[in-house]
Amino acid sequence: MAAGDPDRILGVIDHIESEVRRTRPDLSYAAENPRMPFSEVRFFRSIEVYLRAGTQARYEEQLKALVALHERHGTQTSFFVSSAVQGSGPSLRISIPARDAADFFAEYQAMEDRLGEERQALLVEMNPLARRLEWASRVVRRDLGYQPN
C-alpha cells in the first residue's frame, strides 16, 4: 500500500463529518461573576440540538428566555451557543464549561436546583421543538492546540 492509499483507513475510521459553525453571543450566557477563570476549564458538556424544520426562531426565543432566567438568578456558570452555517451537524450546540466531569455534574445539579420550576417550564416548551437532543462530553487538550502568530 502506498502512503497516500485511502484503503489504509478502512476499519479505522467509521465516518467523517464536516461543519462550519458560528458563535451566537445573542443566545449565550456569560456569567457576570464566573465561578472559575476560563484558564481552569478542562471539560465541556455539550447539548447537540437537532431542530425540527421551521422551529429555529421559536427555539432561539426560548434560549433567550433561558439567558434572562440565568441573569435574574445571577448564575455563575456560563454557557455558549453556536449554530450551524453549513454541514451535517446539529442546528445548535450549547456548551457548558467545567473543570472536569465531576465538577460539571455537581454544578449542573446545583444550577437545576436554583433555577427550579421556571427552568423546567422553559425546557418543557423547548424540547418538543427538537427532533433529537444528544449530550456530548469534550475534554480540553490545550497541548494539542495551535495558535498561529
Side-chain angles (χ1 to χ4, degrees), residues 5-109:
D5 188 348
D7 290 334
R8 293 183 66 175
I9 63 169
L10 292 177
V12 176
I13 297 175
D14 178 58
H15 69 282
I16 297 173
E17 291 184 2
S18 174
E19 60 185 37
V20 176
R21 307 194 67 74
R22 73 179 176 114
T23 58
R24 295 293 305 270
D26 59 318
L27 303 176
S28 301
Y29 171 68
E32 191 172 306
N33 183 23
R35 64 186 192 89
M36 72 180 136
F38 198 74
S39 62
E40 292 181 21
V41 173
R42 299 282 184 266
F43 179 87
F44 283 93
R45 184 78 166 156
S46 297
I47 307 164
E48 312 280 340
V49 183
Y50 296 83
L51 292 171
R52 297 182 187 283
T55 64
Q56 183 140 354
R58 282 180 45 210
Y59 197 90
E60 288 179 5
E61 287 306 312
Q62 296 299 329
L63 266 176
K64 289 176 184 177
L66 189 61
V67 168
L69 178 64
H70 279 262
E71 288 171 345
R72 277 196 311 279
H73 286 270
T75 307
Q76 291 183 307
T77 299
S78 301
F79 61 85
F80 309 101
V81 179
S82 66
S83 61
V85 174
Q86 177 182 335
S88 57
S91 308
L92 296 168
R93 178 177 294 140
I94 304 165
S95 298
I96 307 161
R99 287 182 178 90
D100 54 32
D103 176 56
F104 166 79
F105 287 106
E107 179 57 28
Y108 194 78
Q109 183 61 53

Side-chain angles (χ1 to χ4, degrees), residues 58-59 62 66 116-130 133:
R58 282 180 45 210
Y59 197 90
Q62 296 299 329
L66 189 61
E117 291 179 17
E118 214 175 337
R119 177 183 174 276
Q120 194 57 40
L122 282 171
L123 296 179
V124 165
E125 292 181 35
M126 293 168 76
N127 287 344
L129 301 175
L133 296 172

